[in-house]
Amino acid sequence: MTTTTTRVGIVGYGNIARGAEIALQAADDMELVAIFSRRSGITSASGTPVFTMDQIPSFQDKIDVMILCGGSANDLMEQGLEIGRYFHVIDSFDTHAKIEEHFTGMDRVAKAAGKVALISMGWDPGLFSLMRLLGEAALPHGKNYTFWGRGISQGHSNAIRRIAGVADAKQYTVPKEEYLERARNGEMSDFTAQESHLRECYVVLEDGADQARVENEIRHLKNYFEGYETEIHFISQEELDRDHAAMPHGGFVLRVGETQPQEAQVIEYNLRLASNPNFTSSVIVAYTRALMRMAAEGKNGCITIFDVPPAYLLAKSPEEIRHLL
Amino acid sequence: MTTTTTRVGIVGYGNIARGAEIALQAADDMELVAIFSRRSGITSASGTPVFTMDQIPSFQDKIDVMILCGGSANDLMEQGLEIGRYFHVIDSFDTHAKIEEHFTGMDRVAKAAGKVALISMGWDPGLFSLMRLLGEAALPHGKNYTFWGRGISQGHSNAIRRIAGVADAKQYTVPKEEYLERARNGEMSDFTAQESHLRECYVVLEDGADQARVENEIRHLKNYFEGYETEIHFISQEELDRDHAAMPHGGFVLRVGETQPQEAQVIEYNLRLASNPNFTSSVIVAYTRALMRMAAEGKNGCITIFDVPPAYLLAKSPEEIRHLL
């Protein structure tokens, strides 16, 4: 199968960007042309030239698609609206409550520009979203469960770090085996994320900080720890750096349903990831390929994982892909 | 979201057909119009009228899509070429070695008729195929493993039944936990289906049959048992009927890969099914919905699960579907 090479740019240069850089180097049908960062003077791991953000519009004839690797909280909505005017874009926007707003904005920009914007790609949202949809399709009378972990939640780690007296922290989200087993056994009940997850915190105190107060503040942090079973371990910075530097993650999507009364059918999808950002990026790169195929067919506007025909994910001919049947 | 009702016919009236009948009754956007069988005088569980096969062409204005529920060995290739001239069709063709031949034939017929034919749908081929593709896309440097069971293999049960002296038999395919664990632990090796599965047989002998000979013949059946660890249990017809009448099945698709050297990423998809045919049919009915959406967009020819945008599987609006992100 002959494919033209897709010219790719990366916007931002954090963990997801570095993962995309690795994944693109392994993809024969894609070429990483440039990386764009807010900071100047950066060199990239692959030797790809790094430019500043304001140079992005000048790459209109040199880049087909931009992988937007900024954060959901502050970067992606704004950057997408700007960069989506010039390029196809793909992002990993994961603020669930704002996805519809982001979709609407990106759809308008992409349609006006005749471009495709693929938002909220990765594993959750992303592959896990697809599993929730497939589960509902296969077993309409049923229930979806999502469990996250064991893995580091950046949001929860940051929330702990913002507490006065905390020098550093890492927080692991851990699914409770008991609830996983209940879902696996075909139980259809309404347990909450609070009930079914444990929060495991590793906290480094500043000199002289009040351990009891910090512990109390963590336990009562609304939207983060309140309502959760929370384990707090105070350790040294050396221990944190030595034992908690990796970025493992994972999780589970289960669909539990019945095709007839008392006829339990259980679908489980799970991930065990040594590197959360590198897996996320690898998925994003595969969907970048699919986005280009859809763009070549004349598609424009904002899309999600739900719109993508799976065959477009591989750089193989239809015949080769059918061998996977 | 307003949807027109899809008028569906079922061809054949075995286990998959009965499962489709159940799934269609639960689908508000679909109406089961008629069932077609080789045999006459049949009544259906749902009260849907049953016609003979020769009446199929007269339903051209009354049915949009036919779910072909015959067997892969003798029915589907032939029936598809005939029925695909008049209707959109979907089947669960699962003879892996002949899929490409079936695809070619169905593509020709469907294109000539301006119809869509979706072949090889179910869970393997079907959802498992999709997982193999998604795994390869997400982790290009890696390896797919498929395990089947624990569940009854109709083909292996039939093979035992054909041996002289055997009155009845059921064969369970069982994945070996040891190999599953090796895959789950991120091992990328080339173990075979023979190594990684156990074959568990429950056999009823005819009066006076030579047990030792039957056992020996089973163990040496080429393409079925030779090379496999095989357990053979001789039991009475009463025990077989009492303990082995259900049709549970399941299996596992694992993708084990590395995003960087020594960075193991593991994806697992597994099914635990109380009823294999009813789950298969439920998946087929969801993909029947998707087929109709693709047909409405002007698609024609033969397609597989790899061509279907997942959003088309649910009778929901794009906005509702994005809530699953």
Side-chain angles (χ1 to χ4, degrees):
Chain A
M1 187 190 186
T2 56
T3 48
T4 53
T5 300
T6 295
R7 302 168 302 170
V8 184
I10 289 176
V11 179
Y13 200 51
N15 290 326
I16 296 289
R18 283 167 224 266
E21 189 181 11
I22 294 166
L24 287 167
Q25 286 176 270
D28 292 338
D29 57 335
M30 295 199 238
E31 182 199 354
L32 176 56
V33 172
I35 295 166
F36 302 90
S37 172
R38 275 203 201 85
R39 295 163 291 167
S40 56
I42 287 178
T43 53
S44 68
S46 60
T48 304
V50 183
F51 300 89
T52 51
M53 297 280 192
D54 58 312
Q55 295 174 275
I56 288 175
S58 71
F59 278 81
Q60 275 181 80
D61 298 328
K62 304 187 190 86
I63 286 176
D64 302 306
V65 55
M66 290 285 199
I67 302 179
L68 307 183
C69 300
S72 297
N74 301 310
D75 304 323
L76 290 176
M77 290 183 82
E78 198 180 308
Q79 285 179 358
L81 295 178
E82 180 60 25
I83 300 169
R85 293 161 56 200
Y86 305 112
F87 305 94
H88 304 303
V89 294
I90 183 166
D91 75 27
S92 58
F93 188 79
D94 67 355
T95 308
H96 284 263
K98 288 193 173 176
I99 285 177
E100 204 54 28
E101 180 188 344
H102 185 41
F103 182 92
T104 304
M106 292 306 296
D107 194 47
R108 182 174 39 75
V109 165
K111 280 195 173 128
K115 301 290 183 189
V116 179
L118 175 43
I119 64 163
S120 299
M121 188 49 57
W123 60 269
D124 196 3
L127 294 177
F128 273 21
S129 317
L130 178 55
M131 294 307 138
R132 288 187 283 264
L133 186 153
L134 288 171
E136 187 174 327
L139 297 169
H141 178 61
K143 203 171 158 49
N144 282 337
Y145 299 95
T146 305
F147 296 86
W148 298 272
R150 185 180 188 259
I152 289 176
S153 162
Q154 216 56 58
H156 288 78
S157 301
N158 290 339
I160 299 173
R161 287 193 201 104
R162 285 192 295 264
I163 293 173
V166 172
D168 204 351
K170 290 277 169 77
Q171 193 267 187
Y172 294 86
T173 304
V174 185
K176 291 187 185 172
E177 197 64 35
E178 173 205 341
Y179 286 85
L180 246 177
E181 284 309 310
R182 284 170 58 183
R184 284 175 171 156
N185 289 332
E187 185 177 319
M188 287 194 259
S189 61
D190 283 312
F191 50 77
T192 62
Q194 277 89 338
E195 287 175 273
S196 57
H197 291 82
L198 171 74
R199 301 209 167 276
E200 203 179 288
C201 311
Y202 294 87
V203 183
V204 181
L205 290 174
E206 288 173 351
D207 282 348
D210 178 348
Q211 179 173 320
R213 177 190 52 78
V214 168
E215 177 163 343
N216 190 58
E217 283 197 35
I218 293 172
R219 290 192 188 286
H220 291 92
L221 258 185
K222 279 202 174 52
N223 301 323
Y224 287 95
F225 295 96
E226 208 174 48
Y228 281 92
E229 185 180 339
T230 302
E231 277 182 11
I232 303 176
H233 306 274
F234 291 96
I235 62 175
S236 69
Q237 186 72 54
E238 291 68 36
E239 288 171 297
L240 193 80
D241 293 343
R242 185 191 66 206
D243 302 333
H244 304 285
M247 288 176 285
H249 216 314
F252 305 77
V253 176
L254 285 105
R255 179 71 180 184
V256 176
E258 291 180 338
T259 35
Q260 295 193 100
Q262 310 305 318
E263 192 171 85
Q265 316 267 28
V266 180
I267 308 173
E268 175 176 341
Y269 184 77
N270 70 61
L271 299 175
R272 275 179 300 278
L273 308 176
S275 167
N276 177 7
N278 288 354
F279 181 76
T280 301
S281 303
S282 192
V283 173
I284 289 173
V285 165
Y287 274 88
T288 301
R289 174 178 300 122
L291 176 162
M292 291 305 297
R293 298 272 189 94
M294 295 177 78
E297 285 187 347
K299 178 76 189 169
N300 63 56
C302 189
I303 61 171
T304 72
I305 190 169
F306 302 139
D307 301 303
V308 178
Y312 290 180
L313 294 168
L314 297 182
K316 289 185 167 182
S317 71
E319 293 75 11
E320 288 174 306
I321 288 173
R322 283 195 294 272
H323 286 145
L324 290 166
L325 285 171
Chain B
M1 186 189 188
T2 56
T3 47
T4 53
T5 299
T6 295
R7 301 168 302 170
V8 184
I10 288 176
V11 179
Y13 200 52
N15 290 325
I16 298 288
R18 282 167 225 266
E21 188 181 11
I22 293 166
L24 287 166
Q25 285 175 271
D28 292 339
D29 57 335
M30 295 200 236
E31 182 199 352
L32 175 56
V33 173
I35 294 167
F36 302 90
S37 171
R38 275 203 200 87
R39 295 163 290 168
S40 56
I42 287 178
T43 54
S44 68
S46 60
T48 305
V50 184
F51 301 89
T52 52
M53 297 281 191
D54 59 310
Q55 295 174 276
I56 288 175
S58 71
F59 278 81
Q60 275 180 81
D61 298 328
K62 304 188 191 88
I63 286 176
D64 303 305
V65 56
M66 289 285 198
I67 301 179
L68 307 184
C69 302
S72 296
N74 301 309
D75 304 323
L76 289 176
M77 290 183 84
E78 196 179 310
Q79 285 178 0
L81 295 179
E82 180 61 26
I83 300 169
R85 294 162 55 199
Y86 306 112
F87 306 93
H88 304 303
V89 294
I90 182 166
D91 74 28
S92 58
F93 187 78
D94 66 357
T95 307
H96 284 264
K98 290 193 171 176
I99 285 176
E100 203 55 28
E101 179 187 346
H102 185 39
F103 182 91
T104 304
M106 291 307 296
D107 195 47
R108 182 173 41 75
V109 165
K111 280 195 173 127
K115 301 292 183 185
V116 179
L118 174 43
I119 63 163
S120 300
M121 188 49 56
W123 60 270
D124 196 4
L127 295 177
F128 273 21
S129 318
L130 179 55
M131 294 307 136
R132 289 187 283 263
L133 187 154
L134 289 171
E136 187 174 326
L139 296 169
H141 178 60
K143 200 169 161 51
N144 282 337
Y145 299 95
T146 305
F147 296 87
W148 298 272
R150 183 177 189 264
I152 289 177
S153 161
Q154 216 57 58
H156 288 79
S157 302
N158 290 339
I160 299 173
R161 287 193 202 104
R162 284 191 296 263
I163 292 174
V166 172
D168 204 351
K170 290 278 169 77
Q171 192 267 186
Y172 294 86
T173 305
V174 186
K176 291 186 184 173
E177 197 64 37
E178 174 205 340
Y179 287 85
L180 247 176
E181 283 309 311
R182 285 170 57 183
R184 283 176 171 152
N185 288 332
E187 185 178 320
M188 288 195 259
S189 60
D190 282 312
F191 51 76
T192 62
Q194 277 87 338
E195 287 175 273
S196 57
H197 291 82
L198 171 74
R199 300 209 167 277
E200 203 179 288
C201 312
Y202 295 86
V203 182
V204 181
L205 291 174
E206 289 175 351
D207 282 348
D210 178 348
Q211 179 173 322
R213 177 191 51 80
V214 168
E215 178 162 343
N216 190 57
E217 284 197 33
I218 294 172
R219 290 193 189 284
H220 291 93
L221 258 186
K222 279 205 173 53
N223 301 322
Y224 287 96
F225 295 96
E226 209 175 47
Y228 280 92
E229 185 180 337
T230 302
E231 278 182 10
I232 303 175
H233 306 274
F234 290 96
I235 62 174
S236 68
Q237 186 74 53
E238 291 67 36
E239 287 172 296
L240 193 79
D241 295 344
R242 185 192 66 207
D243 301 333
H244 304 283
M247 288 176 284
H249 217 311
F252 304 78
V253 176
L254 285 105
R255 178 73 179 183
V256 175
E258 290 178 341
T259 35
Q260 294 193 101
Q262 309 305 319
E263 191 171 86
Q265 316 268 28
V266 180
I267 308 173
E268 175 176 342
Y269 184 77
N270 70 60
L271 300 175
R272 274 180 300 279
L273 308 176
S275 166
N276 176 6
N278 288 354
F279 182 76
T280 300
S281 303
S282 193
V283 173
I284 289 173
V285 166
Y287 274 89
T288 301
R289 175 180 298 122
L291 177 162
M292 292 303 298
R293 297 271 190 95
M294 295 177 78
E297 284 188 346
K299 177 77 190 169
N300 63 57
C302 189
I303 61 172
T304 72
I305 190 170
F306 302 139
D307 302 302
V308 177
Y312 289 180
L313 294 168
L314 297 182
K316 288 184 167 182
S317 71
E319 292 76 11
E320 289 173 305
I321 288 174
R322 284 196 293 273
H323 287 144
L324 290 165
L325 285 172

